[in-house]
Amino acid sequence: MNLKIATVISIMLIFSGCSSTNTSNGTDSSTNPTVVPSTQPIIEPSAAPTAEPTAAIDPIAEKIADMTLDEKIGQMVLVGLEGTSIQDHAKEMIDSYHVGGFILYKDNITGASQTLKFLNQLKQANQGNQAPLWLSIDQEGGKVSRMPDEFKKLPPAADVGKAANANYTNLIGQALGEEVRALGFNMDFAPVLDINSNPKNPVIGNRSFGAKADTVITHGIETMKAIQSKQVAAVVKHFPGHGDTSVDSHLDLPVVNKTLDELKAFELLPFEEAIQQGADAIMIAHLLIPKIDPDYPASLSKKMITGLLREELDYDGVVITDDMTMGGITEHFNVGEAAVDSVQAGSDIILIGHDYATQISVLKSLKQAARDGVLTKERMDQSVYRILSLKDKYQLKDNATASVDIEAVNHHIQSALQAKKQK
């Protein structure tokens, strides 16, 4: 029943009750035994009104509904930048293109205080945008370390795997999360879940936890969870598995001659477990697997991203490409067109780590594809929803990080290193 109608009926009942206990001249019936029977029909009490169910408000969906096309596209792009402090190009990326985040490399980092200040500058510049920034880094330990020299070094994944000590692995993972968080980063492109099965592999090597699936699963997932425990989004990589290649995808496009069944029996196992254990984001590699898709590398392949990762492995988290300025893409594709292909295939975030002109080309290509209907509103909103949901999970804010306690971080790292021998 309509609530307004129910209210009217309730008022009618009150007045009806009054008329049944009073005479027409207002005298109390208890003092006048002669009561004139009411000629009004008796109104039966109505049932309590039932509120109409209302759909739960989804604040993320509401935010997306208020976003412009440029703002949506911006969220789907993560870029590198020049220098060791904020420059005009970075400001333009924030003010004009509303990019979802940045990645810093070793060239951007000269010290702890400098890095802290740099990230705070980016956060301050982003205050006028609807969504806070991803501030990301490749911090794996070993040879892939971007941290300032003031921090103690962490071992490569291979050494962690060889120790066969889950507690040690967890503490190393916490130390990774602790050091990046201390500087103001909120996303780490780690851990590596590739199985190092090919000794001729030029790009993975000791970045992998080992040559056996069980080893990579045990220590990779432990590291992922430990990084997440420090309020840092962990991006596992490089799906569907870069371990059995002999070509460096930074230089050219590796080819993996395996069937889907072969991948499921080996390379995909760590990624399947990561999905089951709550992976925040998965990085897609620039790998050509001709027995699944002879035309497109995994990073551009709908068969690999939507068909395999989304549908067969039931993953609905964030998908991010490996750097689109790597040779595996640039030697074979136009980067702007490849970015559109990747989003069509199911990617959420396009990573363009280098070259301002290429970054602008990608942003413009995505916008033109949206205007032409090549990228539908529905497809883009799916990605933006995943991205904003992950930012919400980690309660990202563009608040400045006040200071970095190098001594405290190093104490945490030293404690982790000492746990290696403790079973």
Side-chain angles (χ1 to χ4, degrees):
M1 177 185 297
N2 183 283
L3 188 57
K4 185 175 180 181
I5 295 174
T7 303
V8 173
I9 292 177
S10 298
I11 294 171
M12 290 173 63
L13 284 171
I14 292 170
F15 282 102
S16 174
C18 290
S19 65
S20 64
T21 56
N22 293 294
T23 61
S24 59
N25 62 7
T27 306
D28 189 335
S29 62
S30 62
T31 59
N32 186 353
T34 304
V35 179
V36 179
S38 173
T39 59
Q40 295 180 3
I42 297 174
I43 302 176
E44 295 293 334
S46 63
T50 303
E52 294 289 336
T54 57
I57 296 174
D58 186 336
I60 294 174
E62 284 193 327
K63 180 178 284 190
I64 292 172
D66 289 337
M67 293 173 76
T68 65
L69 176 60
D70 285 335
E71 287 172 329
K72 291 179 182 180
I73 290 171
Q75 286 303 304
M76 297 170 65
V77 172
L78 196 153
V79 299
L81 66 179
E82 299 293 327
T84 55
S85 62
I86 191 167
Q87 307 291 322
D88 288 343
H89 285 169
K91 292 177 182 176
E92 182 185 13
M93 286 293 171
I94 292 171
D95 295 338
S96 300
Y97 295 100
H98 315 285
V99 293
F102 293 94
I103 181 171
L104 268 63
Y105 294 102
K106 193 67 174 176
D107 290 346
N108 302 121
I109 294 172
T110 60
S113 296
Q114 167 270 328
T115 306
L116 183 80
K117 182 178 179 180
F118 193 178
L119 296 182
N120 283 343
Q121 289 173 337
L122 294 170
K123 292 175 186 176
Q124 178 61 36
N126 195 59
Q127 293 291 329
N129 283 325
Q130 290 202 47
L133 292 170
W134 287 122
L135 296 170
S136 66
I137 193 165
D138 287 297
Q139 182 60 16
E140 303 171 10
K143 67 181 180 181
V144 181
S145 177
R146 319 295 193 202
M147 288 293 100
D149 292 337
E150 295 105 306
F151 290 158
K152 290 180 178 293
K153 302 301 180 186
L154 285 163
D159 289 0
V160 176
K162 286 176 185 175
N165 180 340
N167 181 59
Y168 170 60
T169 301
N170 182 273
L171 291 173
I172 292 294
Q174 287 190 49
L176 286 168
E178 187 84 16
E179 62 183 358
V180 302
R181 186 69 180 178
L183 293 171
F185 291 101
N186 49 40
M187 175 180 276
D188 188 9
F189 291 107
V192 168
L193 295 187
D194 306 290
I195 305 169
N196 192 38
S197 58
N198 187 340
K200 295 181 180 180
N201 193 310
V203 67
I204 299 300
N206 68 1
R207 297 169 64 192
S208 168
F209 290 98
K212 295 182 179 180
D214 287 349
T215 301
V216 174
I217 290 171
T218 298
H219 299 285
I221 304 308
E222 195 69 43
T223 301
M224 179 188 82
K225 288 184 171 182
I227 292 171
Q228 291 173 329
S229 75
K230 295 300 178 178
Q231 284 299 105
V232 174
V235 182
V236 299
K237 57 188 184 184
H238 308 79
F239 183 89
H242 213 306
D244 190 14
T245 60
S246 57
V247 173
D248 186 344
S249 57
H250 292 86
L251 306 175
D252 209 334
L253 184 61
V255 177
V256 177
N257 286 304
K258 290 195 172 185
T259 65
L260 179 57
D261 287 342
E262 287 173 323
L263 290 177
K264 286 182 177 179
F266 192 65
E267 279 85 359
L268 293 178
L269 295 176
F271 294 99
E272 289 187 76
E273 185 64 24
I275 292 168
Q276 293 300 316
Q277 297 296 327
D280 290 322
I282 295 177
M283 176 178 279
I284 305 294
H286 306 313
L287 298 172
L288 185 67
I289 307 176
K291 292 181 181 178
I292 299 176
D293 189 335
D295 302 314
Y296 292 103
S299 53
L300 314 183
S301 171
K302 190 167 186 178
K303 293 177 182 178
M304 294 298 300
I305 301 174
T306 297
L308 177 57
L309 182 57
R310 296 273 189 221
E311 296 175 355
E312 288 198 45
L313 301 185
D314 197 26
Y315 177 67
D316 194 35
V318 170
V319 169
I320 182 168
T321 68
D322 207 342
D323 182 5
M324 298 291 279
T325 62
M326 290 165 61
I329 295 297
T330 59
E331 292 296 314
H332 302 273
F333 302 92
N334 173 279
V335 179
E337 293 173 1
V340 173
D341 289 340
S342 186
V343 173
Q344 284 182 304
S347 292
D348 301 308
I349 298 177
I350 305 298
L351 172 61
I352 318 108
H354 307 278
D355 189 53
Y356 168 78
T358 302
Q359 293 164 356
I360 295 297
S361 172
V362 167
L363 286 158
K364 289 184 175 179
S365 294
L366 292 173
K367 185 171 184 177
Q368 190 61 51
R371 284 175 166 172
D372 293 343
V374 175
L375 293 180
T376 65
K377 178 181 180 296
E378 179 184 18
R379 173 67 202 88
M380 296 180 70
D381 285 357
Q382 288 172 349
S383 286
V384 177
Y385 192 94
R386 293 187 189 107
I387 295 162
L388 295 185
S389 295
L390 187 56
K391 288 185 174 183
D392 185 65
K393 173 185 174 181
Y394 285 98
Q395 300 179 334
L396 262 58
K397 292 180 174 62
D398 285 323
N399 297 338
T401 302
S403 62
V404 53
D405 190 336
I406 297 171
E407 184 178 349
V409 173
N410 280 334
H411 177 74
H412 197 124
I413 294 172
Q414 187 60 38
S415 297
L417 294 172
Q418 291 174 344
K420 183 176 182 178
K421 299 179 181 179
Q422 301 170 4
K423 293 292 184 181

